[in-house]
Amino acid sequence: MAKRWYVIHTYSGYENKVKADLEHRIETYGLSDQIVDIQIPTEEVTEIKDGGKRETKESKVLPSYVLVRMEGNDDTWSFVRNTPGVTGFVGPDGKPSPLRRSEFDKIMRRTGARGTTPAVPKRTSTSLEVGQSVRVVSGPLADFDGQVSEVMPEAGKVKVMLMIFGRETPVELTLEQVTAIA
């Protein structure tokens, strides 16, 4: 029987525990031929802290969800559903519905997993907010002060309004080029 990817919902923060419990139960009950893979999609996120310090951490792409590749039948659904920490399957009326290949690829592309299309660039998050005062710390505009007009964390950029030659001028900078002014 064909194995398909299903999405299970877990208690918040229980994804790793559910994966470990499920792997243990699969081994104990000898179901490794029916439930063949378990994934918790993650991606690297770079945070820019005050002072321009970069910190990279792993973040879940789908918090509270785990992907399971298995045969879709009443026995495997019941087995997975009765794993501690699992609240149910994603699907209409709680009935398990397999992911389409395109949906699975889109989720896994964010993780940079092999065998899928190329990974999207790493995500960057920042504590900068629109309206916040910042100082340019590098590049040709170093030492200019301005106000954030737009934050683009996915691109790792920020748009800042700088006073240049007596005129307010919008300038797009990388997150590393600015630091918040207290």
Side-chain angles (χ1 to χ4, degrees):
M1 182 177 227
K3 282 131 183 107
R4 309 268 313 262
W5 285 100
Y6 292 86
V7 180
I8 56 174
H9 187 262
T10 68
Y11 292 126
S12 180
Y14 277 66
E15 302 89 351
N16 293 330
K17 181 161 179 31
V18 165
K19 180 179 179 182
D21 287 351
L22 202 46
E23 288 170 340
H24 177 72
R25 293 181 71 224
I26 289 166
E27 188 178 321
T28 302
Y29 288 91
L31 295 175
S32 58
D33 59 326
Q34 294 179 55
I35 304 172
V36 296
D37 199 2
I38 303 165
Q39 295 287 326
I40 302 171
T42 59
E43 64 184 342
E44 284 187 6
V45 177
T46 302
E47 290 185 1
I48 308 290
K49 301 288 187 179
D50 289 336
K53 184 179 178 206
R54 299 173 69 88
E55 186 177 294
T56 301
K57 65 178 186 175
E58 205 166 275
S59 178
K60 290 178 180 66
V61 173
L62 301 168
S64 299
Y65 293 94
V66 175
L67 304 180
V68 180
R69 186 167 176 236
M70 63 184 196
E71 290 180 7
N73 61 51
D74 290 340
D75 293 336
T76 57
W77 290 336
S78 177
F79 181 84
V80 171
R81 174 65 185 89
N82 289 315
T83 299
V86 173
T87 61
F89 279 88
V90 173
D93 301 321
K95 184 181 183 324
S97 178
L99 285 175
R100 290 190 301 270
R101 183 66 194 187
S102 61
E103 294 170 321
F104 175 77
D105 286 346
K106 186 175 182 180
I107 292 167
M108 296 312 286
R109 196 175 314 127
R110 288 187 57 186
T111 71
R114 293 190 181 140
T116 60
T117 47
V120 295
K122 294 177 185 173
R123 235 177 7 114
T124 303
S125 68
T126 179
S127 58
L128 292 177
E129 297 176 0
V130 172
Q132 187 172 9
S133 295
V134 293
R135 172 167 289 134
V136 181
V137 294
S138 66
L141 300 171
D143 298 326
F144 275 84
D145 293 344
Q147 264 197 334
V148 175
S149 64
E150 185 179 351
V151 180
M152 301 164 278
E154 295 293 328
K157 296 187 177 194
V158 63
K159 195 173 284 186
V160 179
M161 299 301 285
L162 298 177
M163 196 63 97
I164 302 175
F165 302 122
R167 296 182 65 186
E168 206 171 51
T169 307
V171 178
E172 196 173 278
L173 302 165
T174 65
L175 292 170
E176 295 84 14
Q177 289 180 284
V178 297
T179 186
I181 298 174

